[in-house]
Amino acid sequence: MLRTHTCGELRLADASKQVTLCGWVQKTRDKGGMVWIDLRDRYGVTQLIFEEGSTAAEVLEIAKGTGREFVLKASGEVVERYAKNDKIPTGEIEIKVSELEILNEAKTPPFTIENETDGGEELRMKYRYLDLRREEVREKLMLRHKMLQETRSYLSGQSFMEVETPVLIKSTPEGARDFIVPSRVNKGEFYALPQSPQTFKQLLMVSGFDRYFQIVKCFRDEDLRADRQPEFTQIDCEMSFVTREDILEIFEGLTRHLFKAVIDTEVGEFVHMQYDDAIKYYGSDKPDVRFDMKFVELNDLAQNKGFNVFDQAELVVGICAKGCADWTRKQVDALTDFVKRPQIGAKGLVYVKCNADGTFKSSVDKFYSQEDLKAWADKMGAEAGDLILVLSGEADKTRKQLCELRLHMGDLLNLKDPKDFKPLWVLDFPLLEWDEESERYHAMHHPFTSPKLDEIPMLDTEPGKVKANAYDLVINGVEIGGGSIRIHDKETQALMFKHLGFSDEEAREQFGFLMDAFEYGAPPHGGIAFGFDRLCSLFGGSDSIRDFIAFPKNTSARDVMIESPSQIASEQLVELGIDLRVD
């Protein structure tokens, strides 16, 4: 090794040792007769000192000629630092350098490589290899590394076996868009990159591998957000001979283990909530339950009073903001402007202030008496000093709009403590959802999710009301993972394909291999997949998963560092049998 120690490990107990360090120049301070260099590697920073009269002239000259991000090898004695720095672990010592070698010079970087950098996100992504030198970025990737190790440790301890599944697979029509890979050997035919290893892990259950896991790359060609990337990582798991409750128990255990081992946090009860209740009371299938503000429906009290906006609405529903009755008109108008934004789409907002003297002041006083408003307050559990906020309209849209308002109020009132983790299992999702564009049902999760067994007959009569034996793990309003008990017999799977609009021929063409496998003794099985990148960002207190990926894509799905995607040579296209000419 070129070095004896790293730049983060030496302490006062190491004083008088002869050491060699290697690293990058974080900062140089030249005071003429004395030079200090902060030398950095991924373990920390150590100060080097060069002093005229005690440091060899040629060594001092080399030190004066170094610049930011030069790569150095420095040898010398560990000495106690005169002006100690309590902000870094090595702040009590410095290295009195006797030998210095420049291993490589460096251009001046396009931004400062410090936690408080002057580089914007796009610039830092272009020079990601430099951004990765910053301590706060390294810490995020170290957290990811620790999550990987602890996940493998826990699952291996629960008798799970890690098995790799193929990356070049067959394209299927369900779910998001596939990334397609042309085949040179089989011209005119294409592979797809997997959106998940779903069918392969089910085949592993047929094979008798009763507990499988894989930390796996998945790919979806879809629009991006802060919590989406075209390629992402899952903790993918499957188990045989289990019920839903077995799976929830095992993966509550994994979640608790990760919280304790990675960020030393104990999480409380994993609440169970029905999907229908999540939608009714929070307007979302991933509710943030760190704070209350449950929805309360007011149709029975608010309609047929002459206020046409409510009278013509399918749903009148509100939330109670505790202690906000003293908000100014300007503050309440800002809430109205918020819900009217195009991305939310409400036409207006009704408010009721519950005054300290027991009276009520509302934006609809013309239509509702004090007794009417008191009835609203009683139903909503509102007390003196509270503010009631009400939306109305088409049921589904109104719930989504009120969900956004509720989350916005949570932000305004500082109710979303990032260190308060509230895990929640959302259960019994609809099996199918109707798509207006294609005028047919689609699987809400995927085609292999088992319906509730006692509801299978309803597939022929009321398919939209059939529940799936499915579950999502939600923490602080973020969907962390989801899964289901799977269909494990050919007849039920064929019935499912039928209700998804597949002909027998289409089902055979797409999934014949799985149907065949079910005829050779498929065990009852189920599983779950965790969004590993989202889990890392949750643990790290960030809204963006890009911070926890070494080389992420931007919001246009581009890698601006390597300039990908890019065009390929015409010779390659010919070799692949692809003609991009437009007629």
Side-chain angles (χ1 to χ4, degrees):
M1 298 290 290
L2 295 181
R3 62 188 177 187
T4 61
H5 297 78
T6 70
C7 295
E9 68 177 294
L10 294 170
R11 301 291 186 270
L12 196 54
D14 297 300
S16 77
K17 283 184 180 178
Q18 293 293 320
V19 301
T20 299
L21 304 182
C22 294
W24 289 263
V25 174
Q26 174 85 24
K27 187 182 297 183
T28 300
R29 298 179 297 284
D30 186 349
K31 299 298 184 182
M34 189 171 286
V35 176
W36 292 271
I37 294 177
D38 289 343
L39 195 67
R40 180 194 71 241
D41 62 14
R42 81 173 175 93
Y43 304 96
V45 176
T46 296
Q47 180 170 281
L48 311 180
I49 184 170
F50 307 81
E51 190 173 6
E52 196 173 88
S54 61
T55 302
E58 62 272 18
V59 173
L60 183 60
E61 194 63 28
I62 294 172
K64 287 176 175 287
T66 61
R68 282 167 50 196
E69 302 307 315
F70 275 42
V71 187
L72 304 182
K73 176 185 175 184
S75 300
E77 182 185 0
V78 180
V79 297
E80 185 173 1
R81 189 163 162 172
Y82 176 72
K84 295 180 173 59
N85 181 355
D86 60 5
K87 292 183 173 60
I88 59 174
T90 61
E92 291 187 304
I93 60 95
E94 58 192 0
I95 310 301
K96 189 174 182 180
V97 178
S98 56
E99 296 180 39
L100 184 65
E101 180 183 352
I102 296 177
L103 299 176
N104 216 333
E105 296 184 0
K107 292 169 60 176
T108 301
F111 54 87
T112 55
I113 300 176
E114 296 176 357
N115 286 346
E116 298 300 322
T117 184
D118 54 359
E121 184 177 45
E122 197 73 5
L123 181 65
R124 288 185 288 109
M125 288 185 71
K126 181 174 177 61
Y127 296 94
R128 182 63 169 172
Y129 48 87
L130 297 179
D131 197 34
L132 290 171
R133 294 180 186 175
R134 295 196 301 126
E135 180 184 8
E136 70 171 15
V137 181
R138 289 199 313 273
E139 286 177 350
K140 287 180 170 65
L141 290 184
M142 181 56 72
L143 181 145
R144 184 184 180 98
H145 164 75
K146 195 169 184 181
M147 295 272 284
L148 287 166
Q149 301 309 310
E150 294 297 340
T151 297
R152 286 191 166 97
S153 173
Y154 175 85
L155 292 174
S156 296
Q158 296 290 328
S159 300
F160 282 79
M161 181 175 175
E162 187 167 9
V163 181
E164 294 174 283
T165 53
V167 174
L168 297 176
I169 65 167
K170 185 176 185 177
S171 182
T172 59
E174 289 291 317
R177 294 183 183 91
D178 289 325
F179 281 100
I180 301 301
V181 181
S183 170
R184 178 187 61 82
V185 176
N186 302 286
K187 285 186 173 58
E189 296 184 317
F190 297 83
Y191 301 104
L193 300 181
Q195 296 183 32
S196 85
Q198 182 61 45
T199 54
F200 288 101
K201 65 180 180 178
Q202 290 191 250
L203 291 171
L204 285 169
M205 297 303 103
V206 178
S207 302
F209 292 82
D210 64 320
R211 292 194 173 195
Y212 141 93
F213 86 98
Q214 184 179 189
I215 299 175
V216 60
K217 279 283 187 185
C218 300
F219 306 85
R220 290 180 188 170
D221 188 6
E222 59 186 0
D223 295 335
L224 303 186
R225 315 187 289 233
D227 63 346
R228 281 184 183 168
Q229 285 275 294
E231 53 180 308
F232 57 95
T233 305
Q234 284 185 181
I235 306 171
D236 198 64
C237 307
E238 199 79 4
M239 303 171 69
S240 293
F241 308 114
V242 289
T243 64
R244 181 181 75 183
E245 285 64 37
D246 297 321
I247 293 174
L248 301 192
E249 181 181 353
I250 286 285
F251 291 99
E252 279 185 25
L254 171 62
T255 308
R256 290 185 187 279
H257 174 78
L258 291 176
F259 269 105
K260 183 62 180 174
V262 178
I263 57 173
D264 194 25
T265 297
E266 301 279 359
V267 291
E269 179 188 2
F270 282 63
V271 175
H272 290 199
M273 182 182 296
Q274 294 291 306
Y275 169 88
D276 288 345
D277 288 339
I279 298 300
K280 180 177 181 179
Y281 295 120
Y282 298 97
S284 169
D285 59 2
K286 46 181 184 293
D288 188 338
V289 294
R290 282 175 292 180
F291 61 102
D292 197 11
M293 280 196 218
K294 280 187 179 180
F295 294 6
V296 177
E297 297 179 9
L298 296 170
N299 291 54
D300 57 333
L301 299 177
Q303 290 183 321
N304 303 314
K305 298 286 185 177
F307 184 46
N308 286 337
V309 173
F310 284 177
D311 290 345
Q312 296 173 5
E314 182 182 1
L315 177 68
V316 182
V317 63
I319 55 175
C320 175
K322 291 291 182 184
C324 296
D326 60 351
W327 276 27
T328 64
R329 180 62 182 266
K330 183 178 179 181
Q331 287 175 294
V332 175
D333 286 348
L335 295 180
T336 302
D337 292 339
F338 175 81
V339 299
K340 283 184 172 181
R341 294 189 309 167
Q343 55 267 53
I344 296 177
K347 293 181 179 178
L349 173 69
V350 169
Y351 71 85
V352 180
K353 292 185 175 183
C354 303
N355 298 320
D357 62 3
T359 62
F360 301 92
K361 174 61 182 173
S362 81
S363 53
V364 287
D365 282 342
K366 178 180 178 181
F367 300 97
Y368 298 95
S369 67
Q370 290 289 297
E371 290 73 20
D372 291 331
L373 299 177
K374 183 178 186 306
W376 291 18
D378 290 344
K379 187 169 184 179
M380 300 191 72
E383 303 169 322
D386 295 344
L387 176 67
I388 297 171
L389 302 169
V390 183
L391 295 177
S392 63
E394 184 183 326
D396 289 346
K397 289 183 179 178
T398 302
R399 286 195 176 97
K400 289 176 182 176
Q401 292 160 358
L402 191 60
C403 172
E404 294 296 331
L405 178 60
R406 175 182 178 271
L407 294 173
H408 182 58
M409 292 299 294
D411 288 328
L412 294 176
L413 298 173
N414 296 315
L415 300 177
K416 298 180 181 179
D417 182 353
K419 295 182 179 178
D420 179 23
F421 298 100
K422 296 290 187 184
L424 168 74
W425 287 110
V426 179
L427 309 173
D428 297 342
F429 283 75
L431 181 69
L432 307 170
E433 55 184 345
W434 182 257
D435 180 64
E436 292 289 348
E437 188 173 329
S438 61
E439 295 187 336
R440 69 178 182 89
Y441 281 105
H442 289 260
M444 193 162 193
H445 278 71
H446 54 63
F448 317 108
T449 296
S450 175
K452 287 301 196 73
L453 297 182
D454 59 345
E455 296 183 4
I456 289 178
M458 292 169 56
L459 283 169
D460 290 320
T461 55
E462 298 177 289
K465 293 185 178 181
V466 177
K467 298 295 185 186
N469 199 349
Y471 34 82
D472 277 1
L473 177 60
V474 176
I475 303 178
N476 296 359
V478 178
E479 179 195 332
I480 295 302
S484 65
I485 299 297
R486 322 300 188 190
I487 297 168
H488 67 279
D489 65 280
K490 182 177 180 180
E491 292 74 21
T492 306
Q493 188 64 72
L495 183 63
M496 183 67 170
F497 286 144
K498 172 189 169 185
H499 286 282
L500 291 172
F502 287 81
S503 68
D504 291 343
E505 293 74 20
E506 289 170 333
R508 165 56 55 182
E509 181 184 352
Q510 294 291 336
F511 303 109
F513 64 93
L514 186 65
M515 306 281 275
D516 290 344
F518 283 172
E519 295 187 289
Y520 289 93
H525 59 281
I528 192 168
F530 284 76
F532 185 70
D533 308 301
R534 288 186 185 177
L535 201 56
C536 289
S537 65
L538 178 76
F539 276 47
S542 174
D543 292 330
S544 174
I545 65 173
R546 288 196 296 271
D547 297 341
F548 297 84
I549 298 172
F551 298 101
K553 307 289 189 294
N554 67 10
T555 52
S556 299
R558 299 194 65 85
D559 185 325
V560 295
M561 182 183 67
I562 65 171
E563 298 184 350
S564 172
S566 62
Q567 295 184 352
I568 62 174
S570 57
E571 293 83 357
Q572 287 178 279
L573 293 174
V574 170
E575 194 174 35
L576 293 168
I578 296 175
D579 186 353
L580 296 183
R581 291 176 300 180
V582 178
D583 293 332

